[in-house]
Amino acid sequence: GEFYGGNYIDVYTIKESVADGATVELLYDEGIAQMDVRKEELDAEFEEKFQDASEEKKDKLKRVALQKYQLSSSRITDIGKHIVNHYQSKIYPDGHKALIVTSGRDAAIKYHKVLTELKKQGLHNFDSKVVIS
């Protein structure tokens, strides 16, 4: 077969790997990742404030604002508490570990700080580490 031509010599899928016992099945839980925002209200306020800006400028401003909200300490704290509660009740009792995947190094460090703070507050006694690959 060719490496870059779209033809493969062999294909070994995740499902086959799990069936063979080489890989543990991953379970995904989206939790409370949804962002609760008053969309109509905020869109109207945004349009009023930036009505003279180009569409390109408006898109950039919205992306920056969304990123700031996603990484805000209150949101990460809320999600951190949800993760800890979910892990304590559903994952840990079965002897499993958990992995939190973030959108980058800054987010990973913020989540680690929140988990550490929640541990200091006595909400859990689990260890967590930041792994960047």
Side-chain angles (χ1 to χ4, degrees):
E2 298 174 24
F3 286 104
Y4 298 103
N7 297 320
Y8 298 99
I9 296 169
D10 189 26
V11 176
Y12 186 61
T13 67
I14 294 289
K15 284 184 180 181
E16 290 171 317
S17 181
V18 169
D20 291 344
T23 304
V24 175
E25 186 176 7
L26 295 176
L27 303 175
Y28 295 93
D29 188 348
E30 292 183 23
I32 59 166
Q34 303 92 353
M35 289 181 262
D36 299 322
V37 199
R38 304 175 325 272
K39 184 169 174 21
E40 294 80 14
E41 208 176 306
L42 289 173
D43 280 345
E45 189 177 323
F46 181 86
E47 283 303 323
E48 184 181 322
K49 188 168 187 174
F50 298 105
Q51 58 189 349
D52 297 331
S54 68
E55 287 305 311
E56 188 179 327
K57 176 80 171 172
K58 287 178 186 177
D59 286 345
K60 185 176 181 181
L61 289 168
K62 284 183 180 181
R63 277 197 311 276
V64 169
L66 183 60
Q67 187 176 28
K68 282 184 181 177
Y69 174 69
Q70 286 175 325
L71 296 177
S72 70
S73 61
S74 63
R75 181 169 186 270
I76 289 180
T77 298
D78 288 345
I79 292 173
K81 287 177 182 174
H82 172 78
I83 289 170
V84 166
N85 290 334
H86 182 77
Y87 183 73
Q88 282 179 320
S89 63
K90 307 258 172 137
I91 311 300
Y92 184 73
D94 292 333
H96 299 298
K97 296 180 181 179
L99 172 73
I100 302 169
V101 179
T102 66
S103 60
R105 184 181 308 244
D106 290 345
I109 291 167
K110 286 182 178 192
Y111 276 102
H112 186 257
K113 285 181 178 177
V114 162
L115 293 176
T116 301
E117 181 57 35
L118 294 174
K119 185 176 182 177
K120 285 181 189 172
Q121 294 173 14
L123 271 98
H124 69 88
N125 63 347
F126 306 115
D127 292 326
S128 62
K129 295 177 184 169
V130 175
V131 178
I132 297 173
S133 63

